[in-house]
């Protein structure tokens, strides 16, 4: 019996699910040989609420989503957070700096009274999450790696060192040398430092590495004459964890 896999979207842009569809032909065949996908709103109309592995995309931003996620947790043997919104709260957490009434009014204007919202939070603030596929959106190969490991009953082997390691291996010039800022020193690797390689900096979409060396990160800021506040302002898109530098 192949494990039954379901994908669920909560609050997010659904880019993680779209990215999951970016698998190449061989990968799709491999995957479909290994699992039965029984619930995936973006690609199929059939749905089956009997599943083993649930992928959760998006953060939790309404009371009704709490109840829905709890029900999914009751059904699934394994729950996997898919993408930055589900893993760390993601972009939606920007609204947590506002009063919730104010946030609703900014988005919905005079229709705000028809909507409800709560501070955005990651999936593991509501239920136990067994595994994480990180990034905004995640690297597709990592999603495949996680599914393959779960099918084999293994723990997925996800990098637990900073983005700086992959950045150096890619031969990039550090953006601090160019007067910019970067969260690479404390962010979990696994993306091959793609943003730096593409001419930008790391915003930290993969979340914190375990035991981040915040002292070293602060030393880097000091060396380049930057304050934590300056960095936070520029990098607050995933600021659920820039707080650790305070
Ligand atoms: S993690 Fe990024 S790509 Fe995925 S749903 Fe959230 S905003 Fe969209
Ligand atoms: S701080 Fe950023 S740019 Fe510099 S090495 Fe680390 S990841 Fe690369
Ligand atoms: S470089 Fe940073 S922001 Fe870019 S994908 Fe990697 S972790 Fe995310």
């Amino acid at each position: 019996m192949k494990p039954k896999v379901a994908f669920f979207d909560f609050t997010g842009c659904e880019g993680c699910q779209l990215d999951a569809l970016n698998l190449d032909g061989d990968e799709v065949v491999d995957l479909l040989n290994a699992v039965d996908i029984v619930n995936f709103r973006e690609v199929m109309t059939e749905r089956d609420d009997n599943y083993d592995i649930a992928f959760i995309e998006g953060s939790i931003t309404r009371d009704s989503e709490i109840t829905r996620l709890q029900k999914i947790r009751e059904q699934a043997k394994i729950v996997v957070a898919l993408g930055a919104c589900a893993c760390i709260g993601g972009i939606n957490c920007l609204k947590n700096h506002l009063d919730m009434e104010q946030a609703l009014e900014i988005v919905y204007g005079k229709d705000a009274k028809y909507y409800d919202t709560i501070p955005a939070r990651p999936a593991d603030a509501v239920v136990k999450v067994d595994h994480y596929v990180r990034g905004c959106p995640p690297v597709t190969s990592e999603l495949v790696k996680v599914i393959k490991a779960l099918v084999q009953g293994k723990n997925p082997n996800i990098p637990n060192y900073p983005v700086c390691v992959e950045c150096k291996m890619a031969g990039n010039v550090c953006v601090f040398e160019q007067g910019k800022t970067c969260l690479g020193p404390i962010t979990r690797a696994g993306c091959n430092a793609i943003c730096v390689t593409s001419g930008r900096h790391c915003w930290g979409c993969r979340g914190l590495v375990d035991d981040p060396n915040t002292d070293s990160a602060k030393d880097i800021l000091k060396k380049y004459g930057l304050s934590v506040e300056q960095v936070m302002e520029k990098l607050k898109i995933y600021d659920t964890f820039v707080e650790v530098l305070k």
Side-chain angles (χ1 to χ4, degrees):
M1 281 282 281
K2 294 191 274 185
K4 293 183 176 181
V5 174
F7 287 80
F8 297 101
D9 44 83
F10 285 76
T11 300
C13 74
E14 303 197 7
C16 295
Q17 288 186 87
L18 269 181
D19 208 57
L21 303 174
N22 270 339
L23 300 175
D24 69 33
D26 287 345
E27 284 175 321
V28 172
V29 173
D30 277 359
L31 205 59
L32 293 178
N33 280 334
V35 299
D36 273 335
I37 297 178
V38 298
N39 215 322
F40 198 152
R41 190 180 58 80
E42 282 196 12
V43 289
M44 56 198 272
T45 45
E46 304 82 2
R47 45 171 297 174
D48 179 354
D49 285 330
N50 178 19
Y51 43 83
D52 306 298
I53 304 174
F55 282 87
I56 306 298
E57 180 208 55
S59 49
I60 307 306
T61 66
R62 281 180 296 166
D63 281 331
S64 58
E65 291 183 327
I66 293 180
T67 317
R68 181 174 169 232
L69 182 56
Q70 286 168 335
K71 276 193 183 149
I72 292 169
R73 176 71 266 188
E74 279 169 23
Q75 166 62 35
K77 296 184 185 86
I78 298 173
V79 169
V80 185
L82 176 64
C85 291
C87 292
I88 57 173
I91 290 173
N92 297 313
C93 287
L94 284 174
K95 78 167 175 180
N96 296 355
H97 296 279
L98 304 171
D99 175 77
M100 289 302 106
E101 299 294 319
Q102 192 189 359
L104 279 176
E105 215 169 296
I106 289 170
V107 176
Y108 299 110
K110 63 180 172 45
D111 294 326
K113 58 179 178 291
Y114 298 116
Y115 298 91
D116 61 293
T117 194
I118 56 174
R121 62 205 69 186
D124 64 7
V126 177
V127 296
K128 178 176 177 283
V129 169
D130 303 296
H131 299 284
Y132 299 83
V133 181
R134 297 170 182 277
C136 177
V139 182
T140 313
S141 58
E142 192 165 288
L143 173 62
V144 174
K145 185 172 157 182
V146 168
I147 294 176
K148 281 184 179 168
L150 295 180
V151 168
Q152 293 167 14
K154 295 179 181 168
N155 261 336
N157 184 14
I158 304 300
N160 191 14
Y161 44 81
V163 169
C164 290
V165 174
E166 291 177 339
C167 189
K168 293 291 180 199
M169 284 167 69
N172 293 322
V173 174
C174 182
V175 300
F176 280 104
E177 293 291 340
Q178 303 158 17
K180 298 181 195 163
T181 54
C182 184
L183 280 179
I186 55 172
T187 301
R188 183 184 298 264
C191 58
N192 285 324
I194 187 171
C195 299
V196 186
T197 305
S198 308
R200 306 302 298 272
H201 57 265
C202 176
W203 284 271
C205 80
R206 290 180 55 85
L208 276 180
V209 67
D210 288 349
D211 299 321
N213 190 339
T214 48
D215 287 342
S216 167
K218 285 180 193 168
D219 285 348
I220 294 170
L221 295 181
K222 205 166 153 189
K223 176 178 168 190
Y224 290 96
L226 296 162
S227 69
V228 170
E229 288 69 29
Q230 280 173 303
V231 178
M232 283 175 67
E233 186 50 36
K234 282 195 172 177
L235 299 172
K236 69 180 179 186
I237 189 163
Y238 298 109
D239 71 349
T240 41
F241 70 88
V242 178
E243 299 287 318
V244 297
L245 289 178
K246 272 184 178 171

